[in-house]
Amino acid sequence: MSSLTDLCRYPIVQAPMAGGPSSPQLVAAVAEAGGLGFLAAGYKTADAMLRETEKVRAATGGAFGVNLFMPQPALTGPATEAVAAYRHHLAAEAATYDTPLGDRGADRGDDTDGYDAKVAALLTEPVPVVSFTFGCPTRDTLDAFARAGTYTIVTVTTAEEARDAQWAGADAVCAQGIEAGGHQSTHQDDPDADHTGIGLLSLITQVRETVTVPVVAAGGMMRGAQIAAALTAGADAAQLGTAFLACPESGAHPLHKQALTSPMFARTALTRAFSGRPARGLVNRFVREHGPHAPAAYPEVHHVTSGLRKAAARAGDAQGMALWAGQGHRMARELPAGELVELLAAEMSETAQRAVGTRSEQ
């Protein structure tokens, strides 16, 4: 098994972005340029996941990873009732887009996102790295990946989650600050903790003082200077998602790419409107109108709104789409992924040289 720093030439990780952005083309381009690209297996079948790993392998010999969603607890009675109420609340949206609201039974089939099948597939056909979101695997699972020669990373949002991941046998943790776009990867979805997440620099320090395994930093970074700051704070690598959304290899919808730098979308917010879990995205009409009413019910709400999001995209209506983005979205650059990796690395180097020059002048 390789160490984290042996996996890629630069300490730059392209975040796994479920729903389409993390295309095999994007992952391969990042790997070819010396970064670590990640496929997102969330919302896919095990077979679809393997087809994507085959495409990446055919395009590059570089290291890459696959991200898995951890199974979520079944809903209790009150949460089920809250989902029913939210469906009623969204009835006007369904009428506007002339599309039915989704249903977990029709869209998903079970509560696990095919987790066991994906783990089995990745143990049979190992990839260099596997990461986990929304929780921590068992020690048996992490040990099995270790025997397969796969490096494992668990996404965490607190020092306590990092400690648990290290205890379970993870090779590294990905410390996700509240600035990050997309879903907050908390291990427990507690509505009382909404909007109480930790900023990235503080989180890096807390995690670094709690665990001895390598730390990947994630959250709002768009420039090499920010990566350098994260490394100085104690991270071993930096994971960027929004920075890669605008790349031509990204599978994000064109409206999503355009919205990143559009003056129409000036800020981001954490919302449960689209999925039932807190996720950071550009504030649009759907977030404003429905965010306050959305229950803590992932993945049920995700499936309820699935058809609405797709219909909005077909209609060219960015106001009804889930426009996931981190706080640095206005700094997005429309560059090929390989060029972006090289530019970020150059910016890191320039920042380091500037810091050395400043110290020598003192």
Side-chain angles (χ1 to χ4, degrees):
M1 185 188 311
S2 300
S3 68
L4 179 61
T5 53
D6 290 337
L7 290 169
C8 46
R9 185 161 71 253
Y10 302 123
I12 299 171
V13 181
Q14 165 251 309
M17 296 172 281
S22 293
S23 68
Q25 294 79 11
L26 176 63
V27 174
V30 170
E32 279 292 283
L36 179 64
F38 258 98
L39 292 170
Y43 313 131
K44 294 183 176 75
T45 64
D47 287 342
M49 174 192 72
L50 288 180
R51 287 194 294 271
E52 291 199 342
T53 65
E54 291 169 1
K55 290 180 180 178
V56 176
R57 285 192 173 105
T60 180
F64 69 97
V66 174
N67 176 259
L68 303 181
F69 286 171
M70 292 299 298
Q72 299 301 292
L75 294 188
T76 61
T80 301
E81 294 172 3
V83 172
Y86 194 51
R87 290 180 66 92
H88 180 74
H89 173 79
L90 293 175
E93 291 281 348
T96 297
Y97 291 116
D98 191 24
T99 189
L101 297 175
D103 177 79
R104 185 191 67 191
D107 294 345
R108 185 181 178 91
D110 61 37
D111 293 327
T112 68
D113 195 47
Y115 175 77
D116 289 339
K118 292 172 186 176
V119 167
L122 291 172
L123 289 173
T124 302
E125 300 185 34
V127 296
V129 188
V130 172
S131 69
F132 303 86
T133 295
F134 300 151
C136 182
T138 64
R139 177 177 289 275
D140 287 345
T141 297
L142 292 172
D143 286 347
F145 277 114
R147 290 192 296 272
T150 296
Y151 194 90
T152 54
I153 303 174
V154 173
T155 310
V156 302
T157 60
T158 66
E160 291 75 19
E161 291 174 352
R163 179 197 58 212
D164 292 344
Q166 177 174 275
W167 180 88
D171 293 309
V173 295
C174 178
Q176 184 198 48
I178 197 170
E179 304 94 333
H183 285 98
Q184 293 287 294
S185 299
T186 53
H187 292 191
Q188 299 291 329
D189 185 14
D190 179 6
D192 292 334
D194 282 4
H195 310 290
T196 63
I198 305 169
L200 180 59
L201 289 180
S202 294
L203 181 61
I204 292 171
T205 303
Q206 292 177 33
V207 170
R208 184 72 286 160
E209 293 182 358
T210 302
V211 300
T212 58
V213 296
V215 177
V216 179
M221 291 175 287
M222 304 290 286
R223 297 287 188 266
Q226 294 170 299
I227 297 174
L231 299 182
T232 300
D236 297 272
Q239 178 171 286
L240 291 74
T242 307
F244 288 98
L245 271 178
C247 294
E249 299 93 341
S250 161
H253 193 282
L255 289 176
H256 192 169
K257 295 182 180 184
Q258 295 166 14
L260 295 174
T261 54
S262 169
M264 291 181 61
F265 304 99
R267 64 186 180 91
T268 65
L270 290 171
T271 182
R272 293 180 181 269
F274 294 104
S275 72
R277 242 186 184 269
R280 184 173 297 282
L282 301 176
V283 176
N284 60 6
R285 178 191 59 80
F286 199 100
V287 171
R288 288 191 298 270
E289 294 182 1
H290 306 303
H293 305 280
Y298 176 88
E300 279 72 9
V301 171
H302 164 81
H303 292 289
V304 167
T305 67
S306 176
L308 298 178
R309 289 178 273 123
K310 293 175 182 176
R314 288 194 300 268
D317 181 12
Q319 296 295 336
M321 297 169 59
L323 304 172
W324 302 137
Q327 288 184 343
H329 65 96
R330 298 299 292 273
M331 295 186 285
R333 297 179 281 202
E334 296 181 24
L335 295 173
E339 289 185 23
L340 180 57
V341 170
E342 295 288 354
L343 178 57
L344 290 168
E347 291 171 344
M348 289 171 51
S349 178
E350 180 182 349
T351 301
Q353 292 173 6
R354 190 184 308 124
V356 170
T358 299
R359 286 196 296 269
S360 65
E361 293 172 3
Q362 293 177 347

